[in-house]
Amino acid sequence: MWESICLTLMATAGNNIGKVLQKKGTVILPPLSFKLKVISAYVSNKLWIVGFLMDISGAILMLKALSQAPVSVIQPVSGCGLAILCVFSHFYLKEVMNALDWVGIALAGAGTIGVGFGGEEQNGSTVSIFHLPLLGFSVALLFALLDTWLRIYKRRRQDQELMHSEVIEEIIFGLESGILFGMASVISKMGFVFSEQGFSKIMVPICISISICCSATGFVYQTRGLKHGRAIVVSTCAAVASIVTGVLAGMLALGEHMPTSRVARVTLSLGWLFIILGVILLVSSTRLMALLPRPIRRHLRSNLEKNQNLRRSGSVRAKDPSPSAAIQAATLHHLVTSPAKEKA
């Protein structure tokens, strides 16, 4: 179990850090197209190539982890990617994080340990071919309800001649993208389970192909939400919905069960809860800091400014030849998905 969790952490680190490195590399590159000059420019950019290879390697490691452990364990642990990304931004990109960021990282780390201990008693997955139509119908019904809800609010917004998106639209797009991300992991796991149960080996590539389609569709929905909505709402809903979907679908469709020991059940449940809370804190730390009492906020802000001054002086002594390498920690949350600007 711990081997699978370590693979998942390596995979999600590769995915998130790789996308940031690709984003940084494309700053000086033209828009990607099939022109030979453009392709050669991307291939010759070391930063983009490193990010691309890390992203691909992360996807391969994630498939390896899904082949060894229940998706109800792997999917929540994959939510720690944002915590790893923040640590990377702090030590490599020299960004200073606030106190809530560190609390979120600590919660995500504690949740991962809890999932590891609680997941030790997880039984192997067993799935019936009859579960597929039921799973597909459930997801389709949920999307139909969300789309109906979205149309109602869009019509209401048009009738009232409101220009800005309502928060309910941001929540719906976030939930839809998160559900698709969670289902992508479940469908990939199904391919390995079918193979273990004696079905044709071709089920693995078929399920992985369907999983890729789900992930791509999820990015489309997330991009729609980020285009006109606030990244903080869309990203939070997507992250939480992805974890919850992976856990519920893994138990309902793949026959995964809670551990038999009461201590293990509590540990696993607390692990899920801590990871979700950690992700929410990491996404919304800037907004939550603004809600703190003024004396506490002023104290934390003074400490933050001191750390920034220390880092600036250290960067001057090091004579960093590439000052553009620094990315604001607040933008890292939507660099992974979309360059859309966050509304106030």
Side-chain angles (χ1 to χ4, degrees):
M1 183 64 65
W2 284 108
E3 179 185 355
S4 301
I5 290 177
C6 291
L7 286 174
T8 305
L9 291 175
M10 293 170 61
T12 190
N15 291 145
N16 287 276
I17 296 175
K19 286 182 173 64
V20 171
L21 293 179
Q22 289 179 73
K23 183 67 178 181
K24 281 171 56 62
T26 56
V27 172
I28 60 174
L29 294 176
L32 183 61
S33 66
F34 291 102
K35 295 181 179 180
L36 183 59
K37 290 183 178 180
V38 175
I39 295 177
S40 61
Y42 275 80
V43 173
S44 60
N45 187 287
K46 294 182 179 180
L47 193 61
W48 188 87
I49 285 295
V50 171
F52 177 77
L53 293 177
M54 289 185 67
D55 198 3
I56 296 299
S57 300
I60 296 174
L61 290 175
M62 183 63 72
L63 291 176
K64 179 66 175 177
L66 285 169
S67 68
Q68 296 179 352
V71 69
S72 57
V73 171
I74 298 301
Q75 190 62 24
V77 174
S78 67
C80 297
L82 187 57
I84 298 174
L85 182 60
C86 287
V87 174
F88 171 78
S89 70
H90 179 71
F91 290 102
Y92 180 75
L93 302 178
K94 308 302 180 184
E95 289 300 323
V96 179
M97 297 183 297
N98 59 45
L100 292 181
D101 287 328
W102 289 112
V103 172
I105 291 173
L107 285 173
T112 301
I113 296 174
V115 169
F117 280 111
E120 289 289 348
E121 297 186 13
Q122 287 283 332
N123 298 322
S125 301
T126 56
V127 61
S128 170
I129 194 68
F130 298 105
H131 288 168
L132 289 177
L134 179 61
L135 182 63
F137 174 76
S138 300
V139 174
L141 179 61
L142 182 58
F143 264 75
L145 293 175
L146 290 174
D147 283 337
T148 302
W149 194 8
L150 181 62
R151 289 193 186 96
I152 293 174
Y153 273 89
K154 279 187 174 180
R155 188 176 303 169
R156 174 187 171 188
R157 182 162 57 90
Q158 292 175 355
D159 293 340
Q160 296 179 356
E161 297 182 354
L162 299 176
M163 298 300 296
H164 300 293
S165 300
E166 293 187 15
V167 65
I168 196 65
E169 297 180 33
E170 301 163 345
I171 292 175
I172 291 175
F173 279 123
L175 291 177
E176 289 178 333
S177 60
I179 291 170
L180 288 169
F181 292 148
M183 289 304 303
S185 297
V186 174
I187 294 173
S188 295
K189 179 64 177 180
M190 278 185 175
F192 296 111
V193 174
F194 281 139
S195 179
E196 293 172 358
Q197 292 181 352
F199 288 85
S200 175
K201 297 293 184 180
I202 199 174
M203 292 299 296
V204 176
I206 289 177
C207 289
I208 291 177
S209 300
I210 298 174
S211 172
I212 293 174
C213 294
C214 287
S215 296
T217 308
F219 279 115
V220 171
Y221 277 95
Q222 191 175 50
T223 302
R224 288 181 181 177
L226 292 172
K227 185 176 181 180
H228 300 294
R230 294 168 295 178
I232 181 176
V233 178
V234 178
S235 300
T236 303
C237 293
V240 175
S242 175
I243 294 173
V244 174
T245 301
V247 171
L248 293 179
M251 290 185 173
L252 297 177
L254 299 177
E256 298 173 359
H257 303 288
M258 293 288 287
T260 55
S261 170
R262 181 179 180 182
V263 175
R265 288 199 303 269
V266 173
T267 303
L268 184 62
S269 301
L270 288 177
W272 291 338
L273 179 62
F274 283 174
I275 290 175
I276 292 175
L277 291 177
V279 170
I280 293 175
L281 277 180
L282 288 169
V283 174
S284 58
S285 61
T286 303
R287 293 293 182 88
L288 292 177
M289 286 288 290
L291 299 178
L292 294 176
R294 185 173 299 179
I296 298 177
R297 189 167 67 248
R298 188 177 303 169
H299 175 70
L300 294 176
R301 188 178 300 170
S302 63
N303 290 335
L304 182 63
E305 291 175 353
K306 290 179 181 178
N307 292 332
Q308 287 176 338
N309 292 333
L310 289 175
R311 288 193 170 273
R312 287 173 183 172
S313 61
S315 63
V316 171
R317 290 194 300 268
K319 295 182 179 180
D320 188 357
S322 178
S324 62
I327 294 182
Q328 294 296 326
T331 64
L332 286 173
H333 305 317
H334 34 116
L335 274 178
V336 175
T337 54
S338 172
K341 294 182 179 179
E342 182 179 352
K343 293 185 179 179

